[in-house]
Each structure stands twice: as C-alpha cells, then as structure tokens.
C-alpha cells in the first residue's frame, strides 16, 4: 500500500484533503497504524478515529484491526459515542415512522371521504372538450372535482396519447373485455374491470392535472400544423430542384 509507505502524519493530511474515498483511505491508515507495532496498538487506532472524526469512521469500522487481547476500557469512550450515535439514529427513524403513520392515516381518511363523496352537475352541463351536452350524448361521462365534465369518448381520446405503452395496451384490452361483458354488467368481475379502466383514463382531470402541466412544452395545434405544412412544402421544393438538376445532367 502506498499509504503504508509514507509518513503517517502526511498520510493523514492527504486523507483529510481527499474528496473521494475518504473512508477507504482512513481505514488503510488505521490498519497500518495497527500493524506498526505491538505496543499501544489500541491507542494508535483510537488516535486515527479521533483524527478522522465520527462522520467518517466509527469504532465498529476498526474493530477488525484491534488485537484479541484489547481491553474494553481502552475503547470505552468510543463505544459510548457509537451507542449514542445509534440511539440518535434510532430516534430519528422512529420519528420518520411516526410521520409516515400519520400521513397514511390522513390518506386513509381522504380515501374514505372520496368513496362517499357526491358531486352535483347541472342538467345543461357540456363536455369540456366537445362542448356537447353530456346528458344527450348517449354515453357515459365523467365529472371531476375541478368541475369539468367529459364524455367517455372525448376523455379517452384526450388521455390515451399521454399513457405509456403498457397502459395503452391495457386500455385496449379492457375495452375488449368490457364490450364482451356488456350485457352482464351485474357481474362482479365487470365492476372490477370497469374500475380499472376508469383508473387509467380518468385518474385526473386533463385540463387541471399533470397532463396540462406537461403540455406546456408542446406547441399549439395551429402552429404545429403550420410547421408541418411548411416542412412538407420545403421538402417538395427541394425534391423539384433535385429532379430538375438530374434532368439537366441527363440531357448533357
């Protein structure tokens, strides 16, 4: 080891200045300190612990370097520090667990509230996408807490492109299964499949949820169509020029 060949004080200075693998360097220094001689091995290793600080090495990291005859009194202070650190970490973990339990309780209460939540819709409510009267649309519709209402077809067309490939495949599969079971909607399996389908296409309101936020980076439909038309026209002009050049060359 290079660390073992340099002066111990210089090795410790280099370890302090290191930005990477500090723990590995200090472990090498502690191991070489234990190998340096048979006298006061424990004192030398403890000195390394004191130099590097508790944030890098602790007593359990250097225990393999200590001789079998080492007395616990020699490292009692370091053991107490380690136990205090463990106790503090345990208290922190317990606090995090309590916070998680409280958050879970709040979520359970919210889920329970949403299961019995009722919403009122005006008789002349219109689909937020097609502007059609949802009661006259002749199909299912969805009402969101945001107040927006969507027919099933319009919502599906709006949300489907934003789903990942696996979700899209599942939507298509569920539609086929629901269509096959349409006349037997009292079946418990039908209700389960319908609930899964609703969770995919109606997880959130497309005009007030993450779908709308993600669409900020997209261009407006009119500008996108204009860009596509311009690109097609430009490509057509280039093609004509290329063909004209080829014809001229052939005539020569």
């Amino acid at each position: 080891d290079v660390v073992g060949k340099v002066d111990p004080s210089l090795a410790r200075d280099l370890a302090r200045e290191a930005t990477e693998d500090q723990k590995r360097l200090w472990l090498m220094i502690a191991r070489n300190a234990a190998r340096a001689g048979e006298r006061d091995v424990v004192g030398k290793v403890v000195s390394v612990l004191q130099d590097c600080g508790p944030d890098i090495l602790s007593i359990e990291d250097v225990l393999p370097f200590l001789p079998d005859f080492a007395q616990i009194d020699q490292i009692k202070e370091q053991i107490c520090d380690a136990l205090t650190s463990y106790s503090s970490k345990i208290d922190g973990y317990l606090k995090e667990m309590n916070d998680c339990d409280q958050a879970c309780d709040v979520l359970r209460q919210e889920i329970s509230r949403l299961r019995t939540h009722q919403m009122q819709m005006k008789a002349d409510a219109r689909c937020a996408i097609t502007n059609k009267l949802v009661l006259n649309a002749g199909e299912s519709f969805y009402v969101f807490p945001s107040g927006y209402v969507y027919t099933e077809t319009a919502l599906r067309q709006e949300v489907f492109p934003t789903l990942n490939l696996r979700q899209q495949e599942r939507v298509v599969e569920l539609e086929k299964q629901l269509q096959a079971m349409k006349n037997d909607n009292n079946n418990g399996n039908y209700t389960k499949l319908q609930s899964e389908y609703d969770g995919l296409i109606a997880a959130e309101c497309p005009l007030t949820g993450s779908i709308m936020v993600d669409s900020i980076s997209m261009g407006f439909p009119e500008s996108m169509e204009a860009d596509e038309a311009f690109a097609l026209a430009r490509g057509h002009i280039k093609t004509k020029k290329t063909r004209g050049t080829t014809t001229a060359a052939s005539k020569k």
Side-chain angles (χ1 to χ4, degrees), residues 6-236:
V6 301
D7 181 72
S9 60
L10 177 59
R12 298 187 188 195
D13 291 338
L14 292 174
R16 291 190 191 95
E17 295 175 359
T19 57
E20 298 180 357
D21 295 332
Q22 271 195 324
K23 184 172 183 176
R24 185 172 64 87
L25 291 173
W26 281 106
L27 282 173
M28 294 171 64
I29 293 172
R31 183 183 61 190
N32 284 288
R35 291 177 179 177
E38 296 182 357
R39 293 185 177 182
D40 197 20
V41 173
V42 177
K44 293 178 179 178
V45 174
V46 169
S47 175
V48 174
L49 282 179
Q50 293 173 344
D51 285 348
C52 70
D55 295 334
I56 300 177
L57 293 182
S58 58
I59 186 63
E60 68 268 22
D61 293 323
V62 298
L63 281 178
F65 307 144
L66 298 179
D68 296 336
F69 56 82
Q71 296 181 359
I72 194 171
D73 290 341
Q74 296 176 281
I75 53 176
K76 181 171 63 175
E77 182 180 348
Q78 286 70 31
I79 293 176
C80 290
D81 291 340
L83 292 175
T84 302
S85 176
Y86 293 149
S87 178
S88 177
K89 289 180 181 179
I90 291 173
D91 290 339
Y93 293 146
L94 289 174
K95 185 178 182 303
E96 290 181 5
M97 291 175 61
N98 290 332
D99 293 341
C100 289
D101 287 340
Q102 293 177 4
C104 289
D105 290 339
V106 172
L107 288 175
R108 292 190 192 99
Q109 294 174 5
E110 184 66 14
I111 292 173
S112 178
R113 185 187 67 82
L114 290 174
R115 284 176 179 172
T116 58
H117 181 69
Q118 297 181 354
M119 295 188 63
Q120 294 183 352
M121 185 188 73
K122 294 182 179 180
D124 59 348
R126 295 179 178 271
C127 175
I129 298 175
T130 63
N131 201 36
K132 294 180 180 179
L133 291 170
V134 294
L135 295 180
N136 297 336
E139 61 176 310
S140 301
F141 56 88
Y142 295 85
V143 184
F144 289 88
S146 60
Y148 287 108
V149 185
Y150 305 87
T151 59
E152 182 178 350
T153 302
L155 181 63
R156 196 259 193 204
Q157 292 177 349
E158 186 75 13
V159 174
F160 189 81
T162 67
L163 302 177
N164 58 45
L165 180 60
R166 185 176 180 181
Q167 291 173 326
Q168 290 178 347
E169 292 175 348
R170 184 56 179 163
V171 166
V172 174
E173 182 181 354
L174 287 171
E175 287 174 339
K176 293 179 180 179
Q177 294 178 3
L178 290 171
Q179 184 63 30
M181 301 170 60
K182 193 170 184 180
N183 297 328
D184 189 20
N185 54 14
N186 291 324
N187 191 329
N189 193 37
Y190 180 91
T191 304
K192 182 180 179 181
L193 294 176
Q194 183 65 53
S195 178
E196 183 181 356
Y197 180 77
D198 294 341
L200 287 170
I201 69 167
E204 61 178 358
C205 175
L207 293 181
T208 60
S210 59
I211 296 176
M212 178 58 66
V213 175
D214 295 338
S215 68
I216 293 177
S217 58
M218 300 173 60
F220 291 105
E222 294 80 4
S223 63
M224 294 172 67
E225 291 175 1
D227 291 341
E228 291 177 0
F230 177 75
L232 289 173
R234 187 177 181 182
H236 181 66

